[in-house]
């Protein structure tokens, strides 16, 4: 997987890979979510990573996505088999808590925001930490939001400031570092 290859390259260069963030957008965030929640985690040759950041993906609950009006690209990606939808649905594959999670979603995409909120709730119920940040950006504007001072950059900086890279295990939800005053972990804004 790409994450394993990147981590191997960084480690070979002498970097401490345990402070890595898995950050992905759109379809990549769907795949990153599958790694994050468990079924693919064992396939990643990384002992642990600090956190995952999933940016504006519509496919956190694939059966729900396919039941609602959706883009034709989702039909091509997920087919028409409900059993297959569940198998590739991060929401339905949550196995055990892992690294903390930031979900950044465009405010103008109610279906995506609904899925992000439900996924965050399910991750918290499983014992994980999930922070949800609705952002005033369009789906295609998320990359620009990473520019210095951009909405996504600020959300990411605030989230990372709450993480403890020296903790030998993942920061559990009730023992997490004190967040920045304007960030409320574990609760939707």
């Amino acid at each position: 997987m790409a994450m394993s290859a990147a981590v191997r390259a960084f480690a070979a260069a002498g970097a401490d890979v345990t402070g890595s963030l898995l950050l992905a957008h759109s379809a990549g965030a769907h795949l990153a979510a599958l790694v994050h929640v468990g079924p693919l985690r064992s396939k990643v040759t990384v002992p642990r990573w600090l956190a995952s950041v999933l940016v504006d993906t519509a496919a956190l609950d694939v059966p729900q996505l396919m039941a609602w009006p959706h883009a034709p690209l989702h039909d091509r990606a997920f087919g028409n088999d409900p059993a297959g939808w569940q198998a590739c649905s991060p929401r339905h594959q949550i196995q055990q808590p892992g690294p903390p999670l930031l979900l950044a979603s465009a405010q103008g995409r109610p279906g995506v925001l609904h899925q992000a909120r439900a996924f965050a709730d399910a991750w918290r119920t499983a014992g994980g930490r999930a922070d949800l940040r609705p952002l005033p950006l369009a789906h295609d504007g998320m990359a620009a939001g990473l520019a210095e001072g951009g909405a996504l950059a600020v959300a990411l900086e605030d989230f990372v400031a709450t993480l403890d890279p020296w903790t030998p295990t993942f920061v559990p939800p009730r023992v997490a570092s004190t967040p920045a005053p304007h960030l409320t972990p574990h609760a939707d804004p």
Side-chain angles (χ1 to χ4, degrees):
M1 295 182 75
M3 182 176 177
S4 297
V7 168
R8 280 193 305 274
F10 288 128
D16 175 7
V17 296
T18 60
S20 300
L21 288 175
L22 175 58
L23 185 145
H25 174 251
S26 197
H30 168 252
L31 297 175
L34 286 171
V35 170
H36 188 90
V37 299
L40 297 178
R41 198 180 311 155
S42 64
K43 306 240 187 272
V44 177
T45 56
V46 179
R48 74 174 189 97
W49 60 96
L50 188 59
S52 295
V53 180
L54 307 178
V55 181
D56 212 40
T57 181
L60 293 169
D61 185 332
V62 176
Q64 183 179 68
L65 168 69
M66 299 306 284
W68 290 358
H70 54 272
L73 71 94
H74 294 122
D75 291 321
R76 292 189 302 275
F78 301 118
N80 60 6
D81 177 17
W85 299 341
Q86 188 154 340
C88 67
S89 176
R91 164 66 187 85
H92 294 89
Q93 297 303 316
I94 293 175
Q95 294 179 352
Q96 60 188 5
L101 176 64
L102 172 63
L103 295 122
S105 294
Q107 289 174 339
R109 300 181 73 200
V112 171
L113 192 53
H114 171 79
Q115 282 210 17
R117 185 169 282 117
F119 185 78
D121 289 344
W123 187 246
R124 289 181 200 121
T125 298
R129 173 183 167 192
D131 297 0
L132 175 63
R133 294 296 298 266
L135 300 173
L137 298 169
H139 180 74
D140 294 340
M142 288 292 182
L146 275 173
E148 187 175 342
L152 183 52
V154 170
L156 184 56
E157 289 169 6
D158 289 348
F159 175 69
V160 169
T162 69
L163 303 175
D164 182 357
W166 305 111
T167 302
T169 57
F170 304 122
V171 180
R174 289 169 189 75
V175 187
S177 304
T178 303
H182 58 284
L183 178 67
T184 306
H186 319 293
D188 297 339

